[in-house]
């Protein structure tokens, strides 16, 4: 947030307010020859001169609470101001519900600021009331569906207060809106892992869901990664689930050459080699060919990487032939 | 403005760019008021990677050093408590406070880390660092979970500060404030189903936090706690971040800073050479402002010191001419790193 204080004509400086005349402002001591100096506005300096004064006096008052609001508006990243504000809230016994409204407004203005989300979290912890958190984070995610802060807060609230009930519905909607939203796929894993659990039936359900999404957009790393995540819970690994392998082979036969498909096939081959379960489809020779086609045609930006992986299979091939 | 044809480093302009940031910044940067030390770090480290540390005059050098030392928080005079020790990010709260509220004036791990790196790049001998106090300050910030809070006074805790704490401990050559076992456990818990590493357990894997995690494992000699399979898969996740430049998460736009975060992660896993240097370089150059200097995250957007430094550091990793080599774990030049090694020897002989 920028310091636009100088353009605010109705603003009265703290130094000109009679109700603050008892307090001596404390200027910043930046040493005799400071560097990286920010040319703050006069308003910024005035507000922080008075903030330092109340901090030094350890003044716990309503006017101090009001002052922290002005200080936060000028720099919402000042964690000391937020901390002092929290200490004031406790000392004054302020209504924390209204503080929730206030911090919600600040979050809307600065949704990618660590301090505001931290403040929110502490308030929710104090109140032991998480009834507004899903809506708050939903709103933030409507603005930016990949906002890391919002996801972090949401996961924390869900985990701490057991708010899993409708989360899968929320995730479904986000993935329907944007199948490439990696954050939403991650949240899907989070909900499965902590709430629904990886029963055999759920594993199969999630596989089917993901394959549908891959059918829709084949070149989507997020869905392919999720598929691998689900298969971590399949005892037969990535090579043993026939629904998955036949899906992949069908894609391949239908000329799909998404690097994620080819990489997946390579990993199936590798697993088969390691389990000593190679067959006519999954073996070192095929993996090597796939690496070569990725390197030369379908994923040229990673040609060195695929050649490097290919070398590994050349070695496997030699040992297979021995 | 940006010159898409450009494939050369606007070396002279970048030097000027950083020199400007070392002096005075516009009021529009007021929200960086508590993190001025990081701006100093990006500028000093940037000049260092440009091979231009000598552009900083002796007078300016001593000004920077004196200013940084003013921000060091010393043990409580009354009771000797060291839990607040470290560096503040600016002098905003650099005031005398009595015991009741002295905790408001406290060090911040990211500021301590970047202050130490700046001092090293400037060739300071760290003799005015209260090493014992700072390590106690680090110790006070490790959580039960194994990660670290940024400050003693009301802050979130996550992977970024695990990294900062590791760098501080490494630089001061003292691990008594850092529980390596717990931190390693935390890092392993943050590995996602897609094999990248997140800020906290179960969050989305991220290029920046993966860097913080890997650098910590490297600085603490714990990289071998990752299985061969984990390393292979993490390499894959990292290599897949390349689009032309690098992105921080799957399906997110490319951003100049990830040429460093992801590039350095790959370097630590001995796999950077498997990426495409020319596409990477070309993208970073597209975000270069050849007229006034600086790099931005995307082409034709605003430059800033962080993206400028990380752009240069990313280019250095892939051997662009005219840039000094970077030590990927600490994110300082090899030149500054050699100076640190010299200090470690000196401390060892004094002990």
């Amino acid at each position: 947030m920028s310091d636009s204080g100088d353009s605010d004509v109705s603003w009265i400086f703290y130094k000109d307010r009679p109700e603050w005349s008892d307090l001596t402002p404390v200027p910043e001591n930046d040493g005799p020859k400071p560097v990286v100096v920010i040319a703050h506005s006069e308003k910024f300096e005035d507000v922080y001169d008075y903030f330092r004064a109340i901090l030094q006096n350890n003044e716990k008052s309503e006017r101090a609470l009001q002052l922290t609001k002005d200080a936060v508006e000028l720099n919402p990243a000042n964690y000391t101001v937020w901390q002092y504000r929290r200490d004031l809230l406790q000392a004054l016994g302020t209504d924390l519900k209204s503080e929730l409204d206030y911090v919600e407004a600040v979050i809307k203005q600065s949704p990618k600021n660590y301090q505001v989300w931290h403040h929110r979290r502490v308030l929710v912890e104090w109140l032991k009331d998480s009834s507004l958190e899903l809506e708050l984070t939903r709103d933030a995610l409507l603005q930016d569906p990949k906002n890391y802060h919002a996801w972090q807060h949401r996961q924390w609230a869900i985990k701490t207060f057991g708010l899993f009930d409708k989360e899968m519905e929320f995730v479904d909607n986000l993935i329907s809106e944007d199948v490439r939203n990696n954050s939403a796929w991650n949240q899907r894993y989070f909900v499965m892992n902590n709430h629904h659990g990886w029963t055999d039936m759920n594993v199969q359900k999630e596989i089917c869901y993901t394959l549908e999404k891959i059918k829709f957009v084949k070149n989507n790393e997020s869905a392919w990664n999720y598929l691998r995540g689900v298969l971590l819970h399949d005892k037969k690994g990535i090579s043993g689930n026939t629904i998955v392998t036949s899906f992949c082979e069908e894609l391949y036969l239908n000329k799909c050459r998404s690097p994620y498909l080819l990489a997946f096939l390579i990993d199936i081959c590798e697993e088969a080699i390691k389990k000593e379960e190679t067959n006519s489809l999954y073996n070192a020779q095929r993996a090597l060919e796939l690496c070569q086609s990725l390197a030369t045609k379908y994923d040229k930006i990673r040609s060195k990487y695929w050649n490097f992986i290919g070398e590994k299979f050349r070695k496997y091939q030699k040992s297979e032939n021995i | 403005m940006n010159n898409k044809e450009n494939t050369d480093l606007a070396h002279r302009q970048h030097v000027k760019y950083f020199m400007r940031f070392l002096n005075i910044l516009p009021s529009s940067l007021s929200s960086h008021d508590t993190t001025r030390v990081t701006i100093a770090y990006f500028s000093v480290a940037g000049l260092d990677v440009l091979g231009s540390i000598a552009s900083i005059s002796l007078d300016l050098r001593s000004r920077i050093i004196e200013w940084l030392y003013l921000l060091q928080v010393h043990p409580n005079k009354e009771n000797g408590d060291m839990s607040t020790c470290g560096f503040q990010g600016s002098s905003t709260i650099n005031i005398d406070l009595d015991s009741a509220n002295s905790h408001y004036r406290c060090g911040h791990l990211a500021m301590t880390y970047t202050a130490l790196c700046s001092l090293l790049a400037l060739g300071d001998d760290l003799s005015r660092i209260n090493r014992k106090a700072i390590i106690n300050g680090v110790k006070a910030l490790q959580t039960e979970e194994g990660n670290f809070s940024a400050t003693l006074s009301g802050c979130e805790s996550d992977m970024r500060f695990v990294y900062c704490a590791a760098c501080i401990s490494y630089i001061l050559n003292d691990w008594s404030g850092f529980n390596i076992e717990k931190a390693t456990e935390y890092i392993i818990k943050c590995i996602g189903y897609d094999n990248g590493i997140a800020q906290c357990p179960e969050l989305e894997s991220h290029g920046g936090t993966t860097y913080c995690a890997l650098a910590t494992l490297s600085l603490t000699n714990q990289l071998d706690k990752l299985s061969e399979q984990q390393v292979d898969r993490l390499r894959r996740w990292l290599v897949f971040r390349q689009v032309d430049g690098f992105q921080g998460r799957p399906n997110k736009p490319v951003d100049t800073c990830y040429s460093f975060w992801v590039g350095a992660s790959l370097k630590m896993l001995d796999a950077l050479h498997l990426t495409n240097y020319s596409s990477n370089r070309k993208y970073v150059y597209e975000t270069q402002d050849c007229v006034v200097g600086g790099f931005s995250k995307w082409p034709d957007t605003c430059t800033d010191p962080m993206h400028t430094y990380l752009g240069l550091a990313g280019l250095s990793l892939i051997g662009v001419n005219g840039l000094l080599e970077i030590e990927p774990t600490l994110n300082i030049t090899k030149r500054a790193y050699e100076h640190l090694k010299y200090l470690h020897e000196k401390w060892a002989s004094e002990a």
Side-chain angles (χ1 to χ4, degrees), chain A residues 1-3 6 26-41 44 48 51-58 60 74-81 83-84 86-87 112 114-115 118 144 146-148 151-152 155 159 179-187 189-190 193-194 219-223 225-230 232 259-260 263-264 266-267 270-271 274 299-306 308-309 312, chain B residues 21-37 39-40 43 59-60 63-64 67-68 70-71 87-98 100-101 103-108 111 151-158 160 192-195 197-206 209 228-229 232-233 235-237 239-245 247 249-253 273-277 279-280:
Chain A
M1 199 180 297
S2 70
D3 170 12
D6 285 343
V26 178
E28 180 177 5
N29 173 14
D30 210 10
K33 289 176 172 181
V35 291
V36 279
V37 175
I38 300 176
H40 292 303
S41 67
F44 188 103
Y48 275 90
F51 176 69
R52 279 183 284 271
I54 58 160
L55 193 65
Q56 205 159 45
N57 290 351
N58 211 4
K60 300 280 164 63
L74 291 161
N75 178 16
N78 190 317
Y79 47 89
T80 315
V81 174
Q83 179 62 35
Y84 197 69
R86 282 190 290 276
D87 295 342
K112 288 196 171 180
Y114 283 98
Q115 287 72 35
H118 179 71
D144 174 4
K146 300 175 182 182
N147 179 339
Y148 211 86
W151 281 113
Q152 186 164 356
Q155 282 200 354
K159 232 184 197 172
V179 77
R180 291 185 177 83
N181 182 346
N182 196 62
S183 309
W185 283 99
N186 186 72
Q187 187 75 350
Y189 193 87
F190 170 77
N193 213 31
N194 291 285
N219 211 17
N220 177 11
E221 184 182 353
S222 301
N225 282 347
Y226 184 74
L227 180 63
R228 287 166 187 278
V230 175
L232 290 174
Y260 308 112
F264 198 84
I266 290 170
D267 293 345
E270 186 175 18
E271 194 177 276
K274 286 193 170 150
D299 196 24
K300 284 205 264 193
I301 193 148
R302 274 169 280 279
S303 62
K304 285 183 187 156
Y305 174 75
W306 291 120
F308 167 80
I309 298 294
K312 195 162 70 177
Chain B
F21 273 95
L22 279 175
N23 282 301
I24 195 148
L25 316 171
S27 68
S28 58
L29 293 178
S30 282
S31 65
H32 295 272
D33 180 57
T34 50
T35 53
R36 281 165 58 203
V37 167
I39 300 176
S43 306
D59 175 56
L60 179 57
R63 269 173 60 200
I64 302 169
W67 179 73
L68 287 170
L70 261 183
L71 301 174
F87 278 75
Q88 296 187 290
S90 72
S91 52
T92 312
I93 315 291
N94 205 356
I95 47 173
D96 284 328
L97 296 168
D98 58 29
N101 57 358
H103 59 282
Y104 292 116
R105 185 184 182 183
C106 58
H108 183 294
M111 305 307 143
T151 74
L152 205 56
S153 228
C155 241
E156 68 281 1
S157 58
D158 57 50
R160 292 171 299 155
Y193 65 86
D194 64 357
N195 309 302
I197 308 179
Q199 184 85 286
C200 301
E202 302 198 86
L203 272 170
E204 187 182 2
S205 300
H206 187 287
T209 50
E228 200 185 322
Q229 191 182 48
D232 283 346
R233 289 176 173 180
R235 274 191 191 132
R236 167 86 63 87
W237 187 85
V239 164
F240 267 58
R241 302 285 58 76
Q242 183 161 31
V243 177
D244 42 19
Q247 60 188 183
R249 300 181 248 167
N251 290 323
K252 285 271 284 179
H273 63 286
L274 302 177
T275 61
N276 187 316
Y277 287 7
S279 297
N280 181 10

Side-chain angles (χ1 to χ4, degrees), chain B residues 33-229:
Chain B
D33 180 57
T34 50
T35 53
R36 281 165 58 203
V37 167
T38 63
I39 300 176
Y41 159 73
F42 291 130
S43 306
V44 169
L47 288 164
D48 196 11
V49 74
L50 285 162
S52 299
I53 202 81
S55 302
I56 300 175
S57 66
L58 284 178
D59 175 56
L60 179 57
R61 176 181 175 274
S62 90
R63 269 173 60 200
I64 302 169
I65 292 175
E66 294 310 312
W67 179 73
L68 287 170
Y69 275 119
L70 261 183
L71 301 174
Q72 183 176 200
V73 178
H74 292 284
N76 186 303
K77 280 185 194 127
E78 288 160 35
N79 59 23
D81 178 50
M82 295 191 238
S83 60
T84 57
C85 293
F87 278 75
Q88 296 187 290
S90 72
S91 52
T92 312
I93 315 291
N94 205 356
I95 47 173
D96 284 328
L97 296 168
D98 58 29
S99 275
N101 57 358
S102 61
H103 59 282
Y104 292 116
R105 185 184 182 183
C106 58
H108 183 294
L109 287 179
M111 305 307 143
T112 308
Y113 157 58
T114 48
L116 289 172
C117 289
S118 308
L119 289 168
L120 286 171
L122 291 168
D124 181 73
D125 63 3
L126 307 189
S127 60
R128 282 186 276 168
I129 295 285
N130 188 337
R131 276 149 45 197
K132 189 176 160 217
I134 287 186
I135 291 300
N136 271 282
V138 169
K139 190 172 190 165
L141 297 173
Q142 189 162 21
T143 70
E144 266 305 300
E145 241 191 314
N147 68 8
F148 284 80
S149 301
T151 74
L152 205 56
S153 228
C155 241
E156 68 281 1
S157 58
D158 57 50
M159 192 67 83
R160 292 171 299 155
F161 307 117
V162 177
Y163 169 69
C164 294
C167 288
I168 295 163
S169 305
Y170 186 93
I171 291 170
L172 301 183
N173 207 13
D174 182 345
W175 292 92
S176 60
F178 187 108
N179 185 324
I180 293 177
E181 201 179 320
K182 269 190 166 181
T184 306
E185 248 173 63
Y186 178 77
I187 291 170
I188 306 270
K189 270 192 207 150
C190 291
I191 300 178
Y193 65 86
D194 64 357
N195 309 302
I197 308 179
Q199 184 85 286
C200 301
E202 302 198 86
L203 272 170
E204 187 182 2
S205 300
H206 187 287
T209 50
T210 299
Y211 167 81
C212 290
L214 279 177
T216 302
L217 292 176
S218 176
L219 290 165
T220 52
N221 282 321
Q222 300 293 307
L223 271 176
D224 61 1
K225 295 292 185 297
L226 299 178
S227 68
E228 200 185 322
Q229 191 182 48

Side-chain angles (χ1 to χ4, degrees), chain A residues 47-278:
Chain A
V47 167
Y48 275 90
D49 287 353
Y50 279 82
F51 176 69
R52 279 183 284 271
I54 58 160
L55 193 65
Q56 205 159 45
N57 290 351
N58 211 4
E59 179 180 317
K60 300 280 164 63
S61 63
E62 285 297 333
R63 69 173 188 177
L65 192 66
Q66 193 54 41
L67 176 75
T68 57
K69 243 185 202 179
D70 287 328
V72 154
E73 194 174 316
L74 291 161
N75 178 16
N78 190 317
Y79 47 89
T80 315
V81 174
W82 282 112
Q83 179 62 35
Y84 197 69
R85 184 171 174 86
R86 282 190 290 276
D87 295 342
L88 285 167
L89 292 171
Q90 284 199 307
L92 302 170
T94 312
D95 172 26
L96 295 178
K97 296 269 183 194
S98 65
E99 185 70 3
L100 278 181
D101 293 339
Y102 165 65
V103 72
E104 179 174 347
V106 185
I107 285 175
K108 292 209 156 130
Q109 280 172 12
S110 308
K112 288 196 171 180
N113 169 308
Y114 283 98
Q115 287 72 35
V116 292
W117 287 103
H118 179 71
H119 189 66
R120 180 78 186 191
R121 177 162 159 173
V122 175
L123 292 176
V124 173
E125 278 172 343
W126 284 352
L127 284 163
K128 294 189 177 59
D129 175 2
S130 60
S131 55
L132 300 170
E133 301 322 286
L134 293 183
E135 196 183 321
L136 172 79
T137 48
R138 186 200 66 197
D139 289 350
L141 293 170
L142 276 176
Q143 294 298 312
D144 174 4
K146 300 175 182 182
N147 179 339
Y148 211 86
H149 304 268
W151 281 113
Q152 186 164 356
H153 187 76
R154 191 173 178 94
Q155 282 200 354
W156 167 78
I158 289 176
K159 232 184 197 172
T160 310
F161 298 95
L163 309 176
F164 286 99
D165 282 0
K166 292 186 180 158
E167 192 59 5
M168 197 50 109
E169 201 181 311
F170 178 71
V171 168
D172 276 340
N173 285 335
L174 281 178
I175 294 180
S176 304
E177 270 166 41
D178 175 13
V179 77
R180 291 185 177 83
N181 182 346
N182 196 62
S183 309
W185 283 99
N186 186 72
Q187 187 75 350
R188 188 172 189 93
Y189 193 87
F190 170 77
V191 177
M192 287 306 299
N193 213 31
N194 291 285
H195 186 56
H196 298 292
W198 297 106
T199 60
D200 288 350
M201 197 176 77
N202 283 344
V203 168
Q204 290 309 319
K205 262 170 69 181
E206 286 306 291
I207 286 172
C208 293
Y209 174 87
T210 312
L211 297 184
E212 277 304 310
K213 298 297 175 190
I214 292 176
K215 218 185 272 179
F216 173 52
V217 177
K218 296 170 189 73
N219 211 17
N220 177 11
E221 184 182 353
S222 301
W224 284 102
N225 282 347
Y226 184 74
L227 180 63
R228 287 166 187 278
V230 175
L231 288 169
L232 290 174
H233 306 279
D234 186 327
K235 288 169 211 78
K236 288 176 281 178
I238 61 166
S239 61
N241 189 307
T242 47
I243 296 175
V244 175
T245 48
S246 20
F247 174 84
C248 290
E249 292 308 332
E250 197 185 318
L251 278 186
Y252 191 83
L253 282 174
N254 287 324
K255 306 261 184 317
C256 171
R257 292 296 180 268
S258 157
Y260 308 112
L261 168 66
L262 303 192
F264 198 84
L265 290 171
I266 290 170
D267 293 345
I268 294 179
C269 292
E270 186 175 18
E271 194 177 276
I273 294 166
K274 286 193 170 150
K275 286 184 172 170
E276 298 184 355
E277 287 173 2
T278 52

